[in-house]
């Protein structure tokens, strides 16, 4: 049965610039095939269209996911060269999956890209998510959909998620949620 796993993806532009973005591909239980659904307007899509390789990362660092969701990295986190593709892997992740796109279904604004996993690497143990980490991931997803959802619904959901963060977060989760909440409030005022 297919499932969606939230994580981060690194892609490379033709000039070699690395883009890091959150992505929730649909995958098989063995993680041998990924179905990515980026919007055509995203840098991830543009990079993959020109250079159809990347690395998908599973991480428990929700601060990285939050920064990736709103595209506010001052500098990229530490990376190392991928082994089978021209790209990079995050040095601090739980698992990485080097992949190559095998087909593009890009007639619609939201595309469907099929990829085969070429290499899987276990970097460090995945410690799991507490409720605050789940709340940050949901907030990050919402922050990427400001153009799709009504402002009232977004603010209501952030209020609900803030209660969970306040009850169960550590420093990383507080920082990540605050980053996302500030971003959303600023964008919705425009």
């Amino acid at each position: 049965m297919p499932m969606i796993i939230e994580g981060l993806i690194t892609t490379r532009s033709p000039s070699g610039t690395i883009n890091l973005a959150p992505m929730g591909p649909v995958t098989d239980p063995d993680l041998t095939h990924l179905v990515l659904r980026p919007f055509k307007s995203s840098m991830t899509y543009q990079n993959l269209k020109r250079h159809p390789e990347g690395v998908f990362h599973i991480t428990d660092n929700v601060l990285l996911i939050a920064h990736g969701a709103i595209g506010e990295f001052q500098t990229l986190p530490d990376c190392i060269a991928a082994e089978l593709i021209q790209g990079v892997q995050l040095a601090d992740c739980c698992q990485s999956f080097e992949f190559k796109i095998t087909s593009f279904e890009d007639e619609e604004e939201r595309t469907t890209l099929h990829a085969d996993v070429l290499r899987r690497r276990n970097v460090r143990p995945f410690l799991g998510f507490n409720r605050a980490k789940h709340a940050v991931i949901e907030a990050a997803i919402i922050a990427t959909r400001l153009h799709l959802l009504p402002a009232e619904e977004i603010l209501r959901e952030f209020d609900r998620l803030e209660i969970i963060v306040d009850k169960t977060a550590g420093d990383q989760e507080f920082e990540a949620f605050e980053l996302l909440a500030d971003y959303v409030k600023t964008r919705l005022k425009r």
Side-chain angles (χ1 to χ4, degrees):
M1 174 119 190
M3 62 182 162
I4 295 175
I5 297 181
E6 301 296 337
L8 295 164
I9 187 171
T10 53
T11 57
R12 186 174 78 76
S13 73
S15 67
T17 302
I18 300 300
N19 182 62
L20 176 62
M23 181 73 60
V26 176
T27 184
D28 59 294
D30 296 326
L31 292 127
T32 60
H33 184 80
L34 305 174
V35 179
L36 308 171
R37 302 266 332 219
F39 287 96
K40 282 185 179 177
S41 58
S42 72
M43 185 61 65
T44 298
Y45 170 78
Q46 294 170 31
N47 285 350
L48 289 172
K49 190 69 176 177
R50 295 183 194 112
H51 179 77
E53 306 175 321
V55 182
F56 176 68
H57 306 84
I58 295 175
T59 182
D60 51 12
N61 184 335
V62 294
L63 189 54
L64 278 181
I65 293 171
H67 277 289
I70 61 175
E72 291 190 2
F73 280 107
Q74 307 239 332
T75 59
L76 276 177
D78 291 339
C79 294
I80 59 174
E83 290 191 16
L84 299 180
I85 64 156
Q86 292 182 3
V88 298
Q89 171 195 298
L90 296 173
D92 180 24
C93 66
C94 300
Q95 291 182 306
S96 67
F97 302 84
E98 294 179 35
F99 66 83
K100 184 165 187 70
I101 302 295
T102 57
S103 71
F104 286 84
E105 297 170 22
D106 55 3
E107 297 78 28
E108 304 292 325
E109 176 55 27
R110 186 152 189 205
T111 65
T112 300
L113 313 179
H114 294 268
D116 286 337
V117 172
L118 305 175
R119 180 177 184 273
R120 178 181 185 158
R121 182 170 178 249
N122 292 318
V123 180
R124 65 173 172 79
F126 178 75
L127 298 177
F129 289 147
N130 66 6
R131 290 180 67 212
K133 286 184 186 285
H134 281 287
V136 170
I137 290 171
E138 289 302 317
I141 292 167
I142 293 166
T144 66
R145 289 166 171 65
L146 299 182
H147 62 293
L148 299 172
L149 300 171
E152 306 78 37
E153 182 180 331
I154 292 167
L155 294 172
R156 220 177 13 257
E157 188 63 13
F158 263 79
D159 287 344
R160 186 186 72 77
L161 294 170
E162 185 175 26
I163 294 167
I164 296 167
V165 171
D166 285 345
K167 288 181 180 179
T168 63
D171 292 341
Q172 182 189 91
E173 296 82 16
F174 276 122
E175 184 179 348
F177 189 80
E178 183 177 329
L179 177 76
L180 293 167
D182 289 347
Y183 174 84
V184 166
K185 288 174 187 167
T186 300
R187 294 298 186 277
L188 292 179
K189 286 182 183 176
R190 290 183 180 171

